[in-house]
Amino acid sequence: MAELNTGGKKATPRVDMTPMVDLMFLLVTFFILTTVISTPQAMDIAKPDKNEKLPENRLELKASKTMTILLGKNNKVAWYMGVAGESAPTIESGSQIEDAIVKNRKAADASGVAGDFVVLVKPTSGSTFQNFVDMMDELEILKVKVRQIDDDNILDNEKQFMKEKGIL
């Protein structure tokens, strides 16, 4: 270090930190102002009134354009096309259901039957809320326009199948 002439006393030179402090505050201000804080996204889910006598509460579904997804435990789902009991459900993991939805929608659209492709989601007692949220997110990503939630009317043969396969 260089010595300063201070009348015989030894002193070290003073380093001015003002430019470094200014730079730090400029950088902090820049990052604070340019940071985008993401807000949580919400999805509206409305279930119809339970009064089935009102005609506006009844939705006629075409079996060839309806896919039913049963949410089970251990992130497993069972799905089938058409009427319950007419075909055996297929069991897949929650992450594999995307391919089944895409394949079934293409087949339903190619069938020539008028109407939208409908996905009926039935959460069971074995499923978690996270399974339900993941399924609704998947349907939103795949742009499935018509989706119904029915946790009240899980049929006996659906329950029986899921118990036999160990996912209920």
Side-chain angles (χ1 to χ4, degrees):
M1 276 191 203
E3 292 185 26
L4 297 175
N5 188 2
T6 57
K9 295 181 183 174
K10 208 172 191 182
T12 57
R14 184 169 176 248
V15 178
D16 195 4
M17 294 294 288
T18 304
M20 189 65 72
V21 172
D22 288 346
L23 179 63
M24 189 230 8
F25 279 114
L26 283 173
L27 287 172
V28 168
T29 304
F30 171 77
F31 287 118
I32 288 174
L33 293 176
T34 59
T35 300
V36 177
I37 299 173
S38 65
T39 57
Q41 299 289 328
M43 180 184 301
D44 290 330
I45 297 177
K47 289 180 66 176
D49 186 12
K50 290 189 178 188
N51 187 354
E52 294 180 10
K53 294 178 183 175
L54 298 173
E56 61 267 12
N57 291 340
R58 296 191 52 81
L59 178 64
E60 297 297 325
L61 301 175
K62 295 181 173 62
S64 63
K65 292 203 146 226
T66 303
M67 178 179 185
T68 303
I69 299 175
L70 301 158
L71 303 177
K73 65 182 179 181
N74 299 328
N75 297 325
K76 296 287 186 182
V77 297
W79 65 267
Y80 61 90
M81 287 294 293
V83 179
E86 288 185 3
S87 63
T90 304
I91 296 178
E92 296 186 31
S93 72
S95 59
Q96 297 171 326
I97 194 68
E98 175 186 355
D99 295 334
I101 294 170
V102 170
K103 180 185 80 165
N104 289 326
R105 180 168 48 186
K106 284 182 182 176
D109 290 344
S111 69
V113 177
D116 289 324
F117 178 69
V118 178
V119 175
L120 181 61
V121 179
K122 294 185 175 183
T124 63
S125 59
S127 67
T128 64
F129 185 70
Q130 185 64 45
N131 297 136
F132 176 73
V133 170
D134 291 344
M135 181 57 59
M136 297 311 291
D137 283 345
E138 195 64 45
L139 295 175
E140 184 68 24
I141 291 167
L142 294 174
K143 299 194 183 338
V144 175
K145 294 177 192 172
V146 183
R147 47 190 166 224
Q148 298 290 317
I149 301 142
D150 188 4
D151 55 346
D152 296 328
N153 300 312
I154 300 171
L155 304 174
D156 290 335
N157 59 353
E158 293 171 337
K159 289 179 187 176
Q160 179 67 26
F161 176 82
M162 293 178 77
K163 284 180 183 175
E164 288 173 4
K165 300 299 180 182
I167 62 171
L168 180 63

